[in-house]
Amino acid sequence: MKIETVDFFYLAMPEITTAADGSQDALVVRVTAGGFIGWGECEAAPLPSIAAFVCPMSHGACQPVQNAVLGQRLESPADIARIAAQVEYDSMDLLQAPHTWSGIEMALWDLLGKARGEPVWKLLGYGRSHAKTPYASQLFGDSPQETLERGRSARADGFRAVKFGWGPVGRGALEIDADHFAAAREGLGPDGILLVDVGQIFGEDVERAARRLPALEAARATWLEEPFAASAYGEYATLAARTSVKMAGGEGAHNFHMARNLIDYGNIGFVQIDCGRIGGIGPAKRVADHAVGKGVTYVNHTFTSNLALSASLQPFAGVADATICEYPVSLQPLAVELTANHIQRDANGEIAAPDAPGLGIEINPAALETYRVEVEITVQGRTLFRSPAAA
Amino acid sequence: MKIETVDFFYLAMPEITTAADGSQDALVVRVTAGGFIGWGECEAAPLPSIAAFVCPMSHGACQPVQNAVLGQRLESPADIARIAAQVEYDSMDLLQAPHTWSGIEMALWDLLGKARGEPVWKLLGYGRSHAKTPYASQLFGDSPQETLERGRSARADGFRAVKFGWGPVGRGALEIDADHFAAAREGLGPDGILLVDVGQIFGEDVERAARRLPALEAARATWLEEPFAASAYGEYATLAARTSVKMAGGEGAHNFHMARNLIDYGNIGFVQIDCGRIGGIGPAKRVADHAVGKGVTYVNHTFTSNLALSASLQPFAGVADATICEYPVSLQPLAVELTANHIQRDANGEIAAPDAPGLGIEINPAALETYRVEVEITVQGRTLFRSPAAA
């Protein structure tokens, strides 16, 4: 097979807010090769990501992503790795390139899996897809009371693990944060797994983060996610040494090395990888392997559709010891409707990467129309991109 | 003053080749505030960088760069740092944002310097701008003979230091590379400073890089630049421990932490910062301070116009011990013509960051017309960007 076409579908809700909700828009990728179709999703700003695919070349190490992709041979996982290496080298100076490539890479795995009749996790070398405990991923409430109710609601919905993120935490008085942590624990109940995500709010201020540790410890949080900027490894390591709460991070990694560095130098306990940013499923699998060797627990980072969720489950589907996974529970209609099927919890309340070929997720073409964003990019009078038709 | 307008000028040579020559196109930024004009240059793919400025918001942590910039107060360096922090936070998930912001940040310093009648290096707290030995930055020849001639030619042109980069090195037999290194040394003469840049050609393959060490040592190379991927710190440190040749790197850093990490974990001897990528002059100055504390030598990375050169000299203008600087000598006409004045070598063959207010570089409006690339980006029928007029 040769890669024949790569199409980008930019979708968006009619109104986008400043909430830290990544499901308000989407950049979906469709790849065709040898009569098969593969789908992927970039967890990325759509317009710059499209531009990174089609832009004119700046020089040999700053080429558009399409140059290393279109027309390439695709017969095996090794081909995907080869194309990935080419993109990394030829688009070295194009910063957005890894985000663009991530959705394409996913689509190549999906396509290859469909062509072979095998799920992606099998192509990655795993013998089975282990069921995992999904944690309901949601935002803190505006008030501790609202946080409490969200915790109760998630518990009532059968979730044994809940992540609260962003919202007011880290922005005001210490006591407010402590109230939110306690409310989250109370809502979730004494035996639930409580995870806290503060979305880099402390920048590189270790002391400001450290003042929250007693309240996090009292609430028995399993992890504190992204206290600092993604590459502030020293700060992660310093904070980790001061508490029993594990540090979590990694969603900002846009290549394997960045995630490896966070493990090796940041002393994190959980590494969270978004396949829509790190360059797809291949580098994520490398991170999973490295994490196992270092005694760090791999977790997916997913705040978009079930297509992205399936992709993000594949790299650690076969790691039996990595028992929890992120599961977004308040997706915008766009992200729900994008896929015709969904990854549902089983009787045990667990989810797993699908057994169907490829990523095992079917795209709903109607959603590509309903939420379609019309884009046209012209350079020197030549149209480099125009939103494609779904059919 | 308030930031009133931010305009992007995408310029390109009529023909772009795959040579590793970053001066074949340019993304120039013009900022106006309080009746003053500041200029900057992104060392970045123009189209994706423009898209990152104007794109629709994806969510609160994936906002277009313009949201944190337009209308902001600009009275002091602290204002620039404040806006930088806002861009970093609000555009956290927009990967291209730091490259877009870099050119704007430079322009803000230029503007502030002009408003105060002071050079940027003075605003950074330096008492004077120390002259530095420029190294002629050029590519390896296609053959060792051509490399030899380029070394001789640079020497004849009065350069005591020369950097050879990219070309065939690392792509073929070990002996070919050794011949190039020896030819470079011969062309440069026995007392010249020889610098070698291999542009990440070894990826993460330490052994393949290590096989070149004897030839580099024999040629008495001062540094080996970017043997590996930008974030492969462990590989840098491993190679550094095996040779007297210092490692150099840092141009891939798109924030302060990445450069700090390369120093702290990569065991490099020289840190090379491109102000057009790292987020501008402010974070570059932080790197310079950190480097001094760690006994690492700061060097600018510049392969574009003299506007970018001036910006990249500012962060270490006052560091007397950092005595060499990159000086591109085979710029494309676009990059030469872009500026009305140029940073010339003095009677000692040295250059320095200008004493004139701001960056001390005047833009030639004719070049903005001559090399202008027409871009139009429309989303949902609304024009988000159209190439502005120069006047």
Side-chain angles (χ1 to χ4, degrees):
Chain A
M1 301 188 286
K2 278 196 191 304
I3 299 174
E4 290 149 22
T5 61
V6 176
D7 286 310
F8 287 88
F9 298 91
Y10 178 178
L11 311 177
M13 294 299 294
E15 216 173 316
I16 308 265
T17 74
T18 55
D21 172 1
S23 72
Q24 300 182 80
D25 69 4
L27 184 60
V28 179
V29 186
R30 180 180 64 192
V31 175
T32 62
F36 295 95
I37 297 178
W39 294 92
E41 185 179 350
C42 308
E43 171 50 352
L47 190 67
S49 302
I50 291 168
F53 189 73
V54 300
C55 64
M57 173 167 70
S58 288
H59 55 81
C62 193
Q63 299 192 45
V65 174
Q66 66 180 353
N67 283 16
V69 173
L70 294 174
Q72 289 294 316
R73 190 185 66 232
L74 176 65
E75 301 292 348
S76 70
D79 285 326
I80 299 177
R82 176 182 48 76
I83 302 168
Q86 197 69 42
V87 169
E88 192 172 355
Y89 192 75
D90 290 348
S91 302
M92 184 190 298
D93 289 347
L94 205 176
L95 191 47
Q96 190 70 21
H99 281 195
T100 302
W101 165 244
S102 293
I104 302 170
E105 205 256 16
M106 263 182 220
L108 297 181
W109 284 103
D110 186 41
L111 194 153
L112 197 60
K114 286 169 178 168
R116 293 202 180 174
E118 289 190 344
V120 171
W121 53 262
K122 205 161 212 175
L123 297 181
L124 291 172
Y126 289 129
R128 56 173 288 205
S129 167
H130 291 271
K132 298 181 188 297
T133 301
Y135 63 83
S137 191
Q138 53 188 359
L139 304 177
F140 278 107
D142 287 337
S143 65
Q145 182 61 32
E146 206 179 327
T147 293
L148 175 95
E149 283 156 16
R150 288 187 187 183
R152 277 194 185 134
S153 163
R155 189 65 197 224
D157 195 19
F159 285 100
R160 293 190 294 274
V162 179
K163 184 171 91 179
F164 294 87
W166 299 72
V169 169
R171 296 176 176 275
L174 185 58
E175 294 69 32
I176 295 173
D177 292 4
D179 287 349
H180 276 281
F181 302 152
R185 167 54 70 197
E186 188 182 335
L188 180 58
D191 58 338
I193 298 171
L194 171 61
L195 313 165
V196 172
D197 176 8
V198 295
Q200 304 189 15
I201 192 71
F202 303 116
E204 52 191 78
D205 189 338
V206 173
E207 290 313 315
R208 206 151 67 85
R211 285 197 287 275
R212 272 76 184 172
L213 292 176
L216 286 165
E217 289 161 2
R220 288 178 294 113
T222 297
W223 77 50
L224 173 63
E225 177 174 340
E226 282 215 311
F228 308 116
S231 294
Y233 307 137
E235 285 76 1
Y236 277 89
T238 303
L239 194 65
R242 291 167 64 166
T243 178
S244 58
V245 178
K246 298 285 188 192
M247 298 297 127
E251 66 175 276
H254 55 80
N255 59 52
F256 163 72
H257 297 111
M258 294 175 80
R260 186 186 68 173
N261 292 336
L262 190 57
I263 292 171
D264 292 358
Y265 308 122
N267 195 19
I268 56 173
F270 295 85
V271 65
Q272 307 168 293
I273 300 303
D274 198 312
C275 284
R277 293 181 185 157
I278 199 168
I281 293 168
K285 171 63 162 60
R286 280 191 76 189
V287 176
D289 292 345
H290 186 73
V292 166
K294 290 279 182 166
V296 166
T297 304
Y298 184 104
V299 192
N300 63 306
H301 175 269
T302 311
F303 218 92
T304 51
S305 78
N306 275 208
L307 176 67
L309 177 61
S310 174
S312 286
L313 289 172
Q314 307 292 334
F316 73 128
V319 183
D321 293 344
T323 56
I324 64 173
C325 65
E326 183 160 39
Y327 188 68
V329 291
S330 36
L331 289 175
Q332 296 292 324
L334 177 170
V336 176
E337 295 169 31
L338 175 61
T339 63
N341 59 331
H342 296 87
I343 297 175
Q344 306 285 5
R345 285 175 285 166
D346 63 17
N348 295 326
E350 297 180 319
I351 68 167
D355 287 330
L359 296 175
I361 299 290
E362 201 183 321
I363 293 297
N364 166 24
L368 301 182
E369 290 299 342
T370 307
Y371 299 100
R372 171 193 179 95
V373 176
E374 287 292 338
V375 174
E376 185 166 358
I377 301 174
T378 64
V379 173
Q380 301 289 55
R382 207 162 69 85
T383 299
L384 298 189
F385 181 84
R386 183 180 286 140
S387 299
Chain B
M1 300 188 286
K2 279 196 190 305
I3 299 174
E4 290 149 21
T5 62
V6 176
D7 286 310
F8 287 88
F9 298 91
Y10 178 177
L11 312 176
M13 293 298 295
E15 217 172 316
I16 308 266
T17 74
T18 55
D21 172 0
S23 72
Q24 300 182 80
D25 68 5
L27 184 60
V28 180
V29 186
R30 179 180 65 191
V31 175
T32 62
F36 295 95
I37 297 176
W39 293 92
E41 186 179 348
C42 307
E43 170 52 350
L47 190 67
S49 302
I50 291 168
F53 189 72
V54 301
C55 64
M57 173 167 71
S58 287
H59 55 81
C62 193
Q63 299 191 46
V65 174
Q66 65 179 354
N67 283 14
V69 174
L70 294 174
Q72 289 293 316
R73 191 186 65 231
L74 176 64
E75 300 292 348
S76 69
D79 284 326
I80 300 177
R82 176 182 48 78
I83 302 168
Q86 197 69 42
V87 170
E88 192 171 355
Y89 192 74
D90 290 348
S91 302
M92 185 190 297
D93 290 346
L94 205 176
L95 191 48
Q96 190 70 21
H99 280 194
T100 302
W101 165 244
S102 293
I104 302 170
E105 206 256 16
M106 263 182 220
L108 296 181
W109 284 103
D110 186 40
L111 195 153
L112 197 60
K114 286 170 177 166
R116 293 202 179 173
E118 289 190 344
V120 171
W121 53 262
K122 206 161 210 174
L123 298 181
L124 291 172
Y126 289 129
R128 56 173 291 206
S129 168
H130 291 272
K132 299 182 187 297
T133 301
Y135 64 82
S137 190
Q138 54 188 358
L139 304 177
F140 278 107
D142 287 336
S143 65
Q145 183 61 31
E146 206 179 325
T147 292
L148 175 96
E149 283 156 15
R150 289 187 185 182
R152 277 194 184 134
S153 162
R155 190 64 197 224
D157 195 18
F159 285 100
R160 294 190 294 275
V162 179
K163 184 170 92 179
F164 295 88
W166 299 71
V169 168
R171 296 176 176 276
L174 186 58
E175 295 68 32
I176 296 173
D177 291 3
D179 287 349
H180 275 281
F181 302 152
R185 166 55 68 199
E186 188 182 335
L188 179 59
D191 58 338
I193 298 170
L194 172 61
L195 313 166
V196 172
D197 176 8
V198 295
Q200 305 189 14
I201 192 70
F202 303 116
E204 50 190 80
D205 189 338
V206 173
E207 290 313 315
R208 205 150 68 85
R211 285 197 286 275
R212 271 76 184 173
L213 291 176
L216 286 164
E217 290 161 3
R220 287 178 294 112
T222 298
W223 78 48
L224 173 64
E225 177 175 339
E226 281 215 310
F228 307 116
S231 294
Y233 308 137
E235 285 76 0
Y236 277 88
T238 303
L239 193 65
R242 291 167 63 167
T243 178
S244 59
V245 178
K246 299 284 188 193
M247 298 297 127
E251 67 175 274
H254 54 79
N255 58 52
F256 163 72
H257 298 111
M258 295 175 80
R260 186 187 68 173
N261 292 336
L262 190 57
I263 291 172
D264 292 358
Y265 307 123
N267 196 18
I268 57 173
F270 295 86
V271 64
Q272 307 169 293
I273 300 303
D274 198 311
C275 284
R277 292 180 185 158
I278 200 170
I281 293 168
K285 171 64 161 59
R286 280 191 76 190
V287 176
D289 292 345
H290 185 73
V292 167
K294 290 279 183 167
V296 166
T297 304
Y298 184 104
V299 193
N300 63 307
H301 175 270
T302 311
F303 218 93
T304 50
S305 77
N306 275 207
L307 176 66
L309 178 62
S310 174
S312 287
L313 290 172
Q314 307 292 335
F316 74 126
V319 183
D321 292 345
T323 56
I324 64 173
C325 65
E326 182 159 40
Y327 189 69
V329 292
S330 36
L331 290 174
Q332 296 292 324
L334 177 170
V336 176
E337 295 170 29
L338 175 62
T339 62
N341 60 330
H342 296 87
I343 297 175
Q344 305 286 4
R345 285 175 285 165
D346 64 16
N348 294 327
E350 295 179 320
I351 69 166
D355 288 329
L359 296 174
I361 298 291
E362 201 184 321
I363 293 297
N364 166 24
L368 300 182
E369 290 300 341
T370 306
Y371 298 100
R372 172 193 179 93
V373 175
E374 288 291 339
V375 174
E376 185 167 356
I377 302 175
T378 65
V379 172
Q380 301 289 55
R382 207 162 69 84
T383 300
L384 298 189
F385 181 84
R386 183 179 286 138
S387 299

